[in-house]
Amino acid sequence: MLQVVESFLSIQGEGKFAGRLAVFVRFAGCNLNCVGFGVKAQKNGKILQGCDTLRAVFTKEFEFKEYNAKSLFDRVLELKKNFRAMVVITGGEPLIHHQNKEFLAFIELLLAKNLEVHFESNGSIELDFNKYPLYKKCVFALGIKLSNSGVAKEKRLNFKAIESIVKNAKSFYKFVLDAKSLKTSADEMNEILAKVPNEVYCMPLGENEEKLKINAPEIVEFCIKNGYNYTDRIHIRLWGEQEGV
């Protein structure tokens, strides 16, 4: 069965395709916990800390729905209606499920319907594109984590995985930056781009508008100075920390 935290119709709030109408399917589970991003929540007497999708990371603390491939495909069609919406597969880290037969069947159903399938991934999991050629038809927003995530470098940077995705499918980098660690982040980005060049989008760290206001101006200036693309976080500007949007 496929464990899904939430599914909804909205607009893509960040990255190269910001503003596009999209059906989001958020899968449970992640191979990283970005404690450096500093988002906190209290659940079952515990203080949880990580990124702004804590529900997808701490799967033991939150409830999720279970689907098979067909029922989840039907859910996407129900949300999509007759609109021309892309389908964004996100998490957590959705590629931890990339070999799951039901997951593969779900992606196959989407592609067979000629739907545009986008993955939001941290780029740390290597895909076998020869064994699973369907992934070549998808788009990958690679949110590769930098040191400001609080994750050890050897765990978050898998250049073999990154190179495989960039070589075999359409993709772009989506880096999360904050004003305090820009110098360190710039050095890390240069290292990544020297090894695996790709189109770059930079977005400000922040799970609410107050934090975005702190980081966004310097990130914009950083992009202008270095020739990168800037992406805001539209969904946070509009709805703050509200879920399902």
Side-chain angles (χ1 to χ4, degrees), residues 7 23 56 127 143 166 213 223:
S7 55
V23 172
L127 298 180
V166 173
K213 286 180 179 178
C223 288

Side-chain angles (χ1 to χ4, degrees), residues 185-196:
S185 294
D187 291 341
E188 289 186 296
M189 288 169 61
N190 289 335
E191 178 187 358
I192 293 167
L193 290 166
K195 293 184 178 181
V196 191

Side-chain angles (χ1 to χ4, degrees), residues 6-9 22-25 72-83 85:
E6 59 182 353
S7 55
F8 54 93
L9 178 70
V23 172
F24 287 83
V25 182
L72 187 53
F73 175 67
D74 289 342
R75 170 63 176 164
V76 169
L77 295 184
E78 176 190 358
L79 290 166
K80 177 184 172 296
K81 304 175 183 178
N82 62 341
F83 303 146

Side-chain angles (χ1 to χ4, degrees), residues 111-167:
L111 293 172
K113 190 70 173 176
N114 292 319
L115 295 176
E116 188 178 339
V117 179
H118 290 215
F119 279 91
E120 295 189 335
S121 170
N122 59 39
S124 66
I125 296 174
E126 185 177 357
L127 298 180
D128 186 338
F129 284 91
N130 292 322
K131 187 175 182 179
Y132 307 113
L134 79 168
Y135 291 117
K136 294 182 180 181
K137 302 176 184 179
C138 303
V139 177
F140 291 81
L142 295 174
I144 298 171
K145 300 301 179 279
L146 305 174
S147 60
N148 60 0
S149 67
V151 179
K153 185 175 182 179
E154 61 272 13
K155 190 172 182 180
R156 57 184 165 81
L157 288 185
N158 182 342
F159 284 107
K160 193 174 180 181
I162 297 167
E163 185 175 21
S164 179
I165 292 173
V166 173
K167 179 182 177 181

